[in-house]
Amino acid sequence: MTTNTHEMPEITEDSVLEALEAEAIHIFRETAAAFQNPVLLYSIGKDSSVLLHLALKAFAPAPIPFPVMHIDTGWKFKEMITFRDEQAEKLGLDLRIAQNKEAIAEGVTPFTHGTHEYTRIMKTVALREGLDQYGFDVAIGGARRDEERSRAKERVFSLREPGHRWDARKQRPEFWRTTNSRLAEGQTMRSFPISNWTELDVWEYIRKENIEIPSLYFAAPRPVVERSGTLIMVDDDRLPLEDGEEPEIRTVRFRTLGCYPLTGAVESDAADLDTLIEEMGQSKMSERSGRLIDGEGGGSMEAKKAEGYF
């Protein structure tokens, strides 16, 4: 009689993060090898900060072998834009800025259109135009399957039809890391290296790797107004105050970053990574609950993606 002396290795937080990192680096290298003209989408948030860090690791000591593109609506938090430009200079990024300049000239703002239409005009159209302008055939993004329902339908390599439209029925099977990267005329691809990560994985990796992120993620006294139960930060004087509305200082942070008039803050005392991660373990709220663009009935994420949104 023989006995099996092999023991299963202990699964630890570090071993999980190491496996996720190795998978993401593999996806980055596969993307760079399989496509002619990749681009890394950089939203300046926690997920894209992790994505940028992984890209640097994947190709070190060489620089990242493709550009980095940011979709700039003109309504991001001021700190986000400062952080973006500092990172681009420090890391030597080939930074491209995509904007719907026609809509900006026409005065489109978060207050002139509903959130769904504003997102379509300022983000979806700008993304499509930016990808077409430079002829990118694959866009690398930080979407995760645990974010919301439509993200769970994505493959790691997600096909887009002409016009950058997503059709869940036309996604290709992925067997044993085998990638079908062939593109017909007009088709493009999206690549999601951190698709299998959770929000908690992202934060633990940020702590482990000491990755820089905007301080908006950490609790601090900030001027806010409360609208329909949502705390909106008064980031500049363009935010129109309603009758009787007066900004007040509250200690808040953000779980997700975007256009400041459409991004809700949460009251919190988490001023560092350790307390933030501890707070996350106790929260039952989705990270996207603070995104007003996700809350409009006619503007679900799946409908946005069908139009070409990332």
PDB file of all heavy atoms in Angstrom, residues 129-152:
ATOM      1  N   GLU A 129     -13.901  57.447 -31.494  1.00  0.00           N
ATOM      2  CA  GLU A 129     -13.125  58.348 -32.354  1.00  0.00           C
ATOM      3  C   GLU A 129     -11.632  58.216 -32.083  1.00  0.00           C
ATOM      4  O   GLU A 129     -10.825  58.245 -33.019  1.00  0.00           O
ATOM      5  CB  GLU A 129     -13.581  59.786 -32.136  1.00  0.00           C
ATOM      6  CG  GLU A 129     -14.967  60.077 -32.682  1.00  0.00           C
ATOM      7  CD  GLU A 129     -15.421  61.504 -32.428  1.00  0.00           C
ATOM      8  OE1 GLU A 129     -14.738  62.215 -31.640  1.00  0.00           O
ATOM      9  OE2 GLU A 129     -16.445  61.912 -33.002  1.00  0.00           O
ATOM     10  N   GLY A 130     -11.252  58.085 -30.800  1.00  0.00           N
ATOM     11  CA  GLY A 130      -9.835  57.941 -30.470  1.00  0.00           C
ATOM     12  C   GLY A 130      -9.247  56.654 -31.012  1.00  0.00           C
ATOM     13  O   GLY A 130      -8.135  56.648 -31.556  1.00  0.00           O
ATOM     14  N   LEU A 131      -9.980  55.553 -30.889  1.00  0.00           N
ATOM     15  CA  LEU A 131      -9.498  54.273 -31.415  1.00  0.00           C
ATOM     16  C   LEU A 131      -9.372  54.322 -32.932  1.00  0.00           C
ATOM     17  O   LEU A 131      -8.398  53.817 -33.512  1.00  0.00           O
ATOM     18  CB  LEU A 131     -10.449  53.148 -30.996  1.00  0.00           C
ATOM     19  CG  LEU A 131     -10.534  52.849 -29.486  1.00  0.00           C
ATOM     20  CD1 LEU A 131     -11.609  51.806 -29.220  1.00  0.00           C
ATOM     21  CD2 LEU A 131      -9.199  52.389 -28.934  1.00  0.00           C
ATOM     22  N   ASP A 132     -10.348  54.948 -33.593  1.00  0.00           N
ATOM     23  CA  ASP A 132     -10.311  55.033 -35.054  1.00  0.00           C
ATOM     24  C   ASP A 132      -9.214  55.983 -35.541  1.00  0.00           C
ATOM     25  O   ASP A 132      -8.560  55.726 -36.553  1.00  0.00           O
ATOM     26  CB  ASP A 132     -11.665  55.503 -35.595  1.00  0.00           C
ATOM     27  CG  ASP A 132     -12.749  54.453 -35.442  1.00  0.00           C
ATOM     28  OD1 ASP A 132     -12.405  53.268 -35.267  1.00  0.00           O
ATOM     29  OD2 ASP A 132     -13.937  54.817 -35.483  1.00  0.00           O
ATOM     30  N   GLN A 133      -9.013  57.080 -34.824  1.00  0.00           N
ATOM     31  CA  GLN A 133      -8.015  58.069 -35.234  1.00  0.00           C
ATOM     32  C   GLN A 133      -6.628  57.447 -35.351  1.00  0.00           C
ATOM     33  O   GLN A 133      -5.888  57.733 -36.297  1.00  0.00           O
ATOM     34  CB  GLN A 133      -7.980  59.215 -34.225  1.00  0.00           C
ATOM     35  CG  GLN A 133      -6.906  60.271 -34.534  1.00  0.00           C
ATOM     36  CD  GLN A 133      -6.813  61.346 -33.464  1.00  0.00           C
ATOM     37  OE1 GLN A 133      -7.644  61.404 -32.541  1.00  0.00           O
ATOM     38  NE2 GLN A 133      -5.823  62.213 -33.565  1.00  0.00           N
ATOM     39  N   TYR A 134      -6.275  56.592 -34.397  1.00  0.00           N
ATOM     40  CA  TYR A 134      -4.932  56.000 -34.383  1.00  0.00           C
ATOM     41  C   TYR A 134      -4.901  54.588 -34.960  1.00  0.00           C
ATOM     42  O   TYR A 134      -3.836  53.975 -35.032  1.00  0.00           O
ATOM     43  CB  TYR A 134      -4.389  55.981 -32.951  1.00  0.00           C
ATOM     44  CG  TYR A 134      -4.209  57.361 -32.357  1.00  0.00           C
ATOM     45  CD1 TYR A 134      -5.079  57.828 -31.369  1.00  0.00           C
ATOM     46  CD2 TYR A 134      -3.177  58.191 -32.773  1.00  0.00           C
ATOM     47  CE1 TYR A 134      -4.923  59.093 -30.818  1.00  0.00           C
ATOM     48  CE2 TYR A 134      -3.003  59.466 -32.220  1.00  0.00           C
ATOM     49  CZ  TYR A 134      -3.883  59.903 -31.249  1.00  0.00           C
ATOM     50  OH  TYR A 134      -3.720  61.149 -30.711  1.00  0.00           O
ATOM     51  N   GLY A 135      -6.058  54.053 -35.343  1.00  0.00           N
ATOM     52  CA  GLY A 135      -6.101  52.723 -35.935  1.00  0.00           C
ATOM     53  C   GLY A 135      -5.764  51.605 -34.974  1.00  0.00           C
ATOM     54  O   GLY A 135      -5.213  50.572 -35.385  1.00  0.00           O
ATOM     55  N   PHE A 136      -6.100  51.763 -33.702  1.00  0.00           N
ATOM     56  CA  PHE A 136      -5.815  50.711 -32.725  1.00  0.00           C
ATOM     57  C   PHE A 136      -6.702  49.491 -32.996  1.00  0.00           C
ATOM     58  O   PHE A 136      -7.912  49.625 -33.192  1.00  0.00           O
ATOM     59  CB  PHE A 136      -6.063  51.215 -31.303  1.00  0.00           C
ATOM     60  CG  PHE A 136      -5.145  52.326 -30.875  1.00  0.00           C
ATOM     61  CD1 PHE A 136      -5.657  53.523 -30.399  1.00  0.00           C
ATOM     62  CD2 PHE A 136      -3.777  52.176 -30.957  1.00  0.00           C
ATOM     63  CE1 PHE A 136      -4.818  54.547 -30.000  1.00  0.00           C
ATOM     64  CE2 PHE A 136      -2.912  53.199 -30.566  1.00  0.00           C
ATOM     65  CZ  PHE A 136      -3.441  54.395 -30.082  1.00  0.00           C
ATOM     66  N   ASP A 137      -6.095  48.304 -33.007  1.00  0.00           N
ATOM     67  CA  ASP A 137      -6.885  47.090 -33.251  1.00  0.00           C
ATOM     68  C   ASP A 137      -7.229  46.339 -31.970  1.00  0.00           C
ATOM     69  O   ASP A 137      -8.083  45.448 -31.977  1.00  0.00           O
ATOM     70  CB  ASP A 137      -6.183  46.156 -34.237  1.00  0.00           C
ATOM     71  CG  ASP A 137      -4.779  45.748 -33.802  1.00  0.00           C
ATOM     72  OD1 ASP A 137      -4.289  46.269 -32.782  1.00  0.00           O
ATOM     73  OD2 ASP A 137      -4.166  44.915 -34.500  1.00  0.00           O
ATOM     74  N   VAL A 138      -6.605  46.692 -30.859  1.00  0.00           N
ATOM     75  CA  VAL A 138      -6.966  46.101 -29.570  1.00  0.00           C
ATOM     76  C   VAL A 138      -6.771  47.163 -28.493  1.00  0.00           C
ATOM     77  O   VAL A 138      -5.768  47.877 -28.475  1.00  0.00           O
ATOM     78  CB  VAL A 138      -6.138  44.836 -29.251  1.00  0.00           C
ATOM     79  CG1 VAL A 138      -4.654  45.129 -29.209  1.00  0.00           C
ATOM     80  CG2 VAL A 138      -6.597  44.205 -27.934  1.00  0.00           C
ATOM     81  N   ALA A 139      -7.758  47.279 -27.622  1.00  0.00           N
ATOM     82  CA  ALA A 139      -7.690  48.208 -26.500  1.00  0.00           C
ATOM     83  C   ALA A 139      -7.660  47.405 -25.212  1.00  0.00           C
ATOM     84  O   ALA A 139      -8.508  46.534 -24.988  1.00  0.00           O
ATOM     85  CB  ALA A 139      -8.886  49.158 -26.513  1.00  0.00           C
ATOM     86  N   ILE A 140      -6.676  47.683 -24.364  1.00  0.00           N
ATOM     87  CA  ILE A 140      -6.480  46.951 -23.118  1.00  0.00           C
ATOM     88  C   ILE A 140      -7.108  47.757 -21.990  1.00  0.00           C
ATOM     89  O   ILE A 140      -6.785  48.934 -21.806  1.00  0.00           O
ATOM     90  CB  ILE A 140      -4.979  46.733 -22.849  1.00  0.00           C
ATOM     91  CG1 ILE A 140      -4.304  46.087 -24.054  1.00  0.00           C
ATOM     92  CG2 ILE A 140      -4.769  45.898 -21.594  1.00  0.00           C
ATOM     93  CD1 ILE A 140      -2.788  46.191 -24.040  1.00  0.00           C
ATOM     94  N   GLY A 141      -8.008  47.135 -21.244  1.00  0.00           N
ATOM     95  CA  GLY A 141      -8.712  47.856 -20.191  1.00  0.00           C
ATOM     96  C   GLY A 141      -8.730  47.128 -18.872  1.00  0.00           C
ATOM     97  O   GLY A 141      -8.377  45.950 -18.783  1.00  0.00           O
ATOM     98  N   GLY A 142      -9.188  47.833 -17.845  1.00  0.00           N
ATOM     99  CA  GLY A 142      -9.161  47.305 -16.486  1.00  0.00           C
ATOM    100  C   GLY A 142     -10.483  46.767 -15.994  1.00  0.00           C
ATOM    101  O   GLY A 142     -10.703  46.717 -14.778  1.00  0.00           O
ATOM    102  N   ALA A 143     -11.384  46.368 -16.888  1.00  0.00           N
ATOM    103  CA  ALA A 143     -12.669  45.820 -16.460  1.00  0.00           C
ATOM    104  C   ALA A 143     -12.463  44.506 -15.705  1.00  0.00           C
ATOM    105  O   ALA A 143     -11.599  43.698 -16.052  1.00  0.00           O
ATOM    106  CB  ALA A 143     -13.576  45.600 -17.659  1.00  0.00           C
ATOM    107  N   ARG A 144     -13.296  44.306 -14.671  1.00  0.00           N
ATOM    108  CA  ARG A 144     -13.274  43.075 -13.891  1.00  0.00           C
ATOM    109  C   ARG A 144     -14.643  42.429 -13.934  1.00  0.00           C
ATOM    110  O   ARG A 144     -15.666  43.105 -13.967  1.00  0.00           O
ATOM    111  CB  ARG A 144     -12.902  43.362 -12.420  1.00  0.00           C
ATOM    112  CG  ARG A 144     -11.635  44.151 -12.211  1.00  0.00           C
ATOM    113  CD  ARG A 144     -11.317  44.221 -10.710  1.00  0.00           C
ATOM    114  NE  ARG A 144     -12.507  44.327  -9.900  1.00  0.00           N
ATOM    115  CZ  ARG A 144     -13.068  45.487  -9.509  1.00  0.00           C
ATOM    116  NH1 ARG A 144     -12.535  46.636  -9.853  1.00  0.00           N
ATOM    117  NH2 ARG A 144     -14.163  45.482  -8.758  1.00  0.00           N
ATOM    118  N   ARG A 145     -14.681  41.102 -13.883  1.00  0.00           N
ATOM    119  CA  ARG A 145     -15.961  40.388 -13.981  1.00  0.00           C
ATOM    120  C   ARG A 145     -16.875  40.624 -12.780  1.00  0.00           C
ATOM    121  O   ARG A 145     -18.081  40.437 -12.875  1.00  0.00           O
ATOM    122  CB  ARG A 145     -15.710  38.881 -14.150  1.00  0.00           C
ATOM    123  CG  ARG A 145     -15.133  38.515 -15.505  1.00  0.00           C
ATOM    124  CD  ARG A 145     -15.167  37.011 -15.728  1.00  0.00           C
ATOM    125  NE  ARG A 145     -14.721  36.678 -17.087  1.00  0.00           N
ATOM    126  CZ  ARG A 145     -13.641  35.975 -17.367  1.00  0.00           C
ATOM    127  NH1 ARG A 145     -12.870  35.536 -16.392  1.00  0.00           N
ATOM    128  NH2 ARG A 145     -13.314  35.696 -18.617  1.00  0.00           N
ATOM    129  N   ASP A 146     -16.319  41.018 -11.648  1.00  0.00           N
ATOM    130  CA  ASP A 146     -17.146  41.182 -10.453  1.00  0.00           C
ATOM    131  C   ASP A 146     -17.767  42.574 -10.352  1.00  0.00           C
ATOM    132  O   ASP A 146     -18.517  42.849  -9.425  1.00  0.00           O
ATOM    133  CB  ASP A 146     -16.327  40.894  -9.186  1.00  0.00           C
ATOM    134  CG  ASP A 146     -15.346  42.005  -8.847  1.00  0.00           C
ATOM    135  OD1 ASP A 146     -14.784  42.605  -9.790  1.00  0.00           O
ATOM    136  OD2 ASP A 146     -15.131  42.274  -7.650  1.00  0.00           O
ATOM    137  N   GLU A 147     -17.487  43.459 -11.320  1.00  0.00           N
ATOM    138  CA  GLU A 147     -17.987  44.831 -11.225  1.00  0.00           C
ATOM    139  C   GLU A 147     -19.507  44.897 -11.304  1.00  0.00           C
ATOM    140  O   GLU A 147     -20.158  45.556 -10.505  1.00  0.00           O
ATOM    141  CB  GLU A 147     -17.391  45.695 -12.328  1.00  0.00           C
ATOM    142  CG  GLU A 147     -15.942  46.056 -12.129  1.00  0.00           C
ATOM    143  CD  GLU A 147     -15.442  46.954 -13.245  1.00  0.00           C
ATOM    144  OE1 GLU A 147     -15.618  48.174 -13.125  1.00  0.00           O
ATOM    145  OE2 GLU A 147     -14.900  46.436 -14.236  1.00  0.00           O
ATOM    146  N   GLU A 148     -20.075  44.277 -12.313  1.00  0.00           N
ATOM    147  CA  GLU A 148     -21.522  44.243 -12.471  1.00  0.00           C
ATOM    148  C   GLU A 148     -21.877  43.171 -13.497  1.00  0.00           C
ATOM    149  O   GLU A 148     -21.001  42.527 -14.058  1.00  0.00           O
ATOM    150  CB  GLU A 148     -22.088  45.623 -12.824  1.00  0.00           C
ATOM    151  CG  GLU A 148     -21.382  46.345 -13.956  1.00  0.00           C
ATOM    152  CD  GLU A 148     -21.817  45.846 -15.306  1.00  0.00           C
ATOM    153  OE1 GLU A 148     -23.027  45.793 -15.566  1.00  0.00           O
ATOM    154  OE2 GLU A 148     -20.948  45.483 -16.095  1.00  0.00           O
ATOM    155  N   ARG A 149     -23.180  42.965 -13.738  1.00  0.00           N
ATOM    156  CA  ARG A 149     -23.625  41.772 -14.449  1.00  0.00           C
ATOM    157  C   ARG A 149     -23.090  41.647 -15.872  1.00  0.00           C
ATOM    158  O   ARG A 149     -22.691  40.565 -16.295  1.00  0.00           O
ATOM    159  CB  ARG A 149     -25.157  41.726 -14.456  1.00  0.00           C
ATOM    160  CG  ARG A 149     -25.759  41.392 -13.113  1.00  0.00           C
ATOM    161  CD  ARG A 149     -27.260  41.509 -13.138  1.00  0.00           C
ATOM    162  NE  ARG A 149     -27.678  42.900 -13.362  1.00  0.00           N
ATOM    163  CZ  ARG A 149     -28.952  43.296 -13.409  1.00  0.00           C
ATOM    164  NH1 ARG A 149     -29.922  42.408 -13.266  1.00  0.00           N
ATOM    165  NH2 ARG A 149     -29.252  44.564 -13.598  1.00  0.00           N
ATOM    166  N   SER A 150     -23.102  42.730 -16.636  1.00  0.00           N
ATOM    167  CA  SER A 150     -22.681  42.604 -18.035  1.00  0.00           C
ATOM    168  C   SER A 150     -21.195  42.317 -18.149  1.00  0.00           C
ATOM    169  O   SER A 150     -20.745  41.684 -19.104  1.00  0.00           O
ATOM    170  CB  SER A 150     -23.053  43.859 -18.835  1.00  0.00           C
ATOM    171  OG  SER A 150     -22.210  44.937 -18.511  1.00  0.00           O
ATOM    172  N   ARG A 151     -20.395  42.793 -17.165  1.00  0.00           N
ATOM    173  CA  ARG A 151     -18.965  42.497 -17.187  1.00  0.00           C
ATOM    174  C   ARG A 151     -18.717  40.991 -17.065  1.00  0.00           C
ATOM    175  O   ARG A 151     -17.737  40.472 -17.592  1.00  0.00           O
ATOM    176  CB  ARG A 151     -18.248  43.223 -16.050  1.00  0.00           C
ATOM    177  CG  ARG A 151     -18.267  44.736 -16.111  1.00  0.00           C
ATOM    178  CD  ARG A 151     -17.479  45.269 -17.274  1.00  0.00           C
ATOM    179  NE  ARG A 151     -17.198  46.691 -17.113  1.00  0.00           N
ATOM    180  CZ  ARG A 151     -16.860  47.508 -18.102  1.00  0.00           C
ATOM    181  NH1 ARG A 151     -16.787  47.039 -19.344  1.00  0.00           N
ATOM    182  NH2 ARG A 151     -16.598  48.777 -17.880  1.00  0.00           N
ATOM    183  N   ALA A 152     -19.607  40.299 -16.359  1.00  0.00           N
ATOM    184  CA  ALA A 152     -19.432  38.862 -16.165  1.00  0.00           C
ATOM    185  C   ALA A 152     -19.610  38.078 -17.457  1.00  0.00           C
ATOM    186  O   ALA A 152     -19.210  36.917 -17.553  1.00  0.00           O
ATOM    187  CB  ALA A 152     -20.420  38.355 -15.108  1.00  0.00           C
TER     188      ALA A 152
END
